[in-house]
Amino acid sequence: MKSLRLKVAIFICLFATSGGREVNVHHKDHVPTYNHTLAKILVEYSSAVYISNLTELFTWTCSRCDDMTKGFEIIDLIVDVKHCLQAFVGVAQDLNAIVIAFRGTQERSIQNWIEDLFWKQLDLKYPGTPDAMVHHGFYSAYHNTTIRPGVLHAVKRAKNFFGDLDIMVTGHSMGGAMASFCALDLVVNYGTHNVQVMTFGQPRTGNAAFVSYFKKHVPNTIRVTHGHDIVPHLPPYYSYFPQKTYQHFPREVWLYNIGWGSLVYTVEKVCDGSGEDPTCSRSVSGNSITDHLEYFGIELQAETWDSCRIVLDHDMSSYSTTDLSGNIVLSRTPIASVLELNTQKRKGGISVL
């Protein structure tokens, strides 16, 4: 039965992305610059946030906490156990920035979660703009859990300690949707002007009016998609019903392979400013879960889909607080002497969006 439901859902997705009149979202273009090296760094943060061993993650000693993110220091690690959500806020010396990463879904089954995405309705008006609509589940995962206050508190502490650093917000899958809401929240409600977003395999989050609102306030945004990844095709985009459908915000960068046999290499195509470029990921069928779970060769999923289990050593008790619902925050004061951060951009550093 589950297999039949998924096949029916994929058929609907293929129909939804075919033909019809295109929606043109008009923007005064600020074109974010795609940086390959930055993408390779941020995808590692989006992978690390899936780690369930909180001790290894908080101390940045986990198996995914090396390579291009070596030396990163987490300030706060927020775990909403009740809603199976996780995020961290920390400071990256090489980026000279605060990094916020949100975990994607860790429900019982990735297949069940994807099936549910087909049927999500635009059922919540986004506050502050009359026509913008989003799905309440996407919105609530960030706004109505312990994730939002935990992230905002950590960002405030980091800025108080290090000054006005850039903020880079990232996440994979559902974590990408949460990253988008977080970035918009920081800009609109807290007056932060140096926010950049890069997500991986993110689903659509709102309608055309929401896209226009988001693009206006968070122009430095890149959505990376991969091959036939099914999730960026969801919830479906119906080009025949432009005011009633979900739509992606720009700018997409589509990763896809060309060639045969041993002569295969990956193209990184920077797409147009519509958010729904028909020559990018929409040009292929969205039918792959495998493509969703790996970007740039980096695994983007939990160690297990069986539960929202966590591991925390007793010697972390001096860093942790737990509320009445069992939600956990691990927190510490940054080590300035180790990071030696400078609030001015280093000329030789990595170019950002």
Side-chain angles (χ1 to χ4, degrees):
M1 176 62 75
K2 288 182 179 180
S3 177
L4 178 62
R5 287 178 60 199
L6 187 58
K7 289 178 181 177
V8 172
I10 289 175
F11 173 79
I12 292 174
C13 185
L14 296 178
F15 170 78
T17 57
S18 65
R21 181 166 63 89
E22 296 297 327
V23 178
N24 293 317
V25 181
H26 298 289
H27 306 293
K28 294 179 180 179
D29 272 348
H30 167 98
V31 181
T33 301
Y34 173 67
N35 184 293
H36 170 80
T37 302
L38 181 62
K40 293 287 292 287
I41 294 171
L42 291 180
V43 76
E44 291 191 7
Y45 287 115
S46 291
S47 176
V49 74
Y50 276 103
I51 293 294
S52 60
N53 188 317
L54 302 187
T55 301
E56 292 182 356
L57 183 58
F58 185 62
T59 57
W60 210 248
T61 57
C62 71
S63 59
R64 304 182 187 183
C65 302
D66 202 348
D67 196 24
M68 300 183 78
T69 64
K70 190 173 183 179
F72 179 69
E73 183 183 11
I74 287 184
I75 296 173
D76 278 17
L77 171 57
I78 307 106
V79 184
D80 190 307
V81 177
K82 182 178 179 181
H83 298 97
C84 197
L85 301 170
Q86 187 163 295
F88 62 67
V89 180
V91 181
Q93 183 178 11
D94 57 343
L95 300 177
N96 202 35
I98 297 167
V99 175
I100 307 171
F102 294 89
R103 186 177 69 189
T105 186
Q106 193 172 332
E107 298 182 6
R108 292 182 180 178
S109 164
I110 183 67
Q111 179 172 311
N112 289 345
W113 181 77
I114 287 173
E115 287 176 1
D116 290 343
L117 278 180
F118 281 93
W119 319 114
K120 289 189 181 296
Q121 301 297 310
L122 289 161
D123 57 2
L124 179 68
K125 291 184 177 180
Y126 191 84
T129 180
D131 300 318
M133 298 289 292
V134 297
H135 182 259
H136 77 276
F138 294 156
Y139 179 90
S140 295
Y142 171 72
H143 281 277
N144 298 331
T145 65
T146 61
I147 295 295
R148 179 177 185 251
V151 166
L152 294 177
H153 177 69
V155 169
K156 182 179 179 180
R157 289 204 306 126
K159 291 174 80 71
N160 287 342
F161 202 88
F162 294 113
D164 194 26
L165 297 177
D166 284 348
I167 298 176
M168 298 184 180
V169 195
T170 191
H172 166 252
S173 196
M174 180 65 178
M178 295 176 68
S180 303
F181 284 120
C182 175
L184 193 57
D185 187 26
L186 288 168
V187 172
V188 173
N189 297 319
Y190 293 90
T192 309
H193 301 294
N194 51 349
V195 179
Q196 305 168 49
V197 177
M198 185 178 289
T199 66
F200 304 90
Q202 175 184 339
R204 296 183 177 100
T205 55
N207 65 356
F210 177 75
V211 166
S212 294
Y213 185 73
F214 184 91
K215 175 66 167 62
K216 174 184 176 182
H217 291 288
V218 195
N220 288 330
T221 297
I222 294 289
R223 288 186 306 101
V224 184
T225 60
H226 175 215
H228 292 253
D229 182 350
I230 189 172
V231 172
H233 290 256
L234 301 173
Y237 168 73
Y238 298 100
S239 57
Y240 293 100
F241 308 104
Q243 301 307 318
K244 301 293 184 181
T245 188
Y246 282 90
Q247 187 168 335
H248 273 306
F249 48 76
R251 182 167 300 262
E252 178 186 4
V253 174
W254 181 37
L255 313 178
Y256 65 96
N257 293 333
I258 62 172
W260 294 271
S262 61
L263 300 176
V264 174
Y265 67 95
T266 300
V267 175
E268 300 174 43
K269 180 178 179 179
V270 178
C271 308
D272 69 22
S274 71
E276 292 289 348
D277 188 339
T279 70
C280 284
S281 64
R282 280 188 57 219
S283 68
V284 299
S285 58
N287 57 8
S288 175
I289 294 177
T290 300
D291 284 354
H292 181 62
L293 299 178
E294 183 179 301
Y295 276 63
F296 296 104
I298 301 297
E299 184 179 17
L300 289 161
Q301 61 179 320
E303 300 101 314
T304 174
W305 293 100
D306 295 336
S307 67
C308 297
R309 73 181 188 92
I310 57 173
V311 177
L312 182 62
D313 293 348
H314 293 298
D315 57 6
M316 289 287 105
S317 59
S318 61
Y319 298 101
S320 67
T321 57
T322 306
D323 67 14
L324 295 177
S325 298
N327 302 313
I328 300 169
V329 176
L330 291 173
S331 181
R332 65 180 167 195
T333 301
I335 307 171
S337 60
V338 173
L339 294 176
E340 296 179 346
L341 285 174
N342 188 333
T343 57
Q344 301 298 320
K345 290 284 187 298
R346 294 192 303 273
K347 292 182 178 180
I350 292 173
S351 300
V352 294
L353 301 180

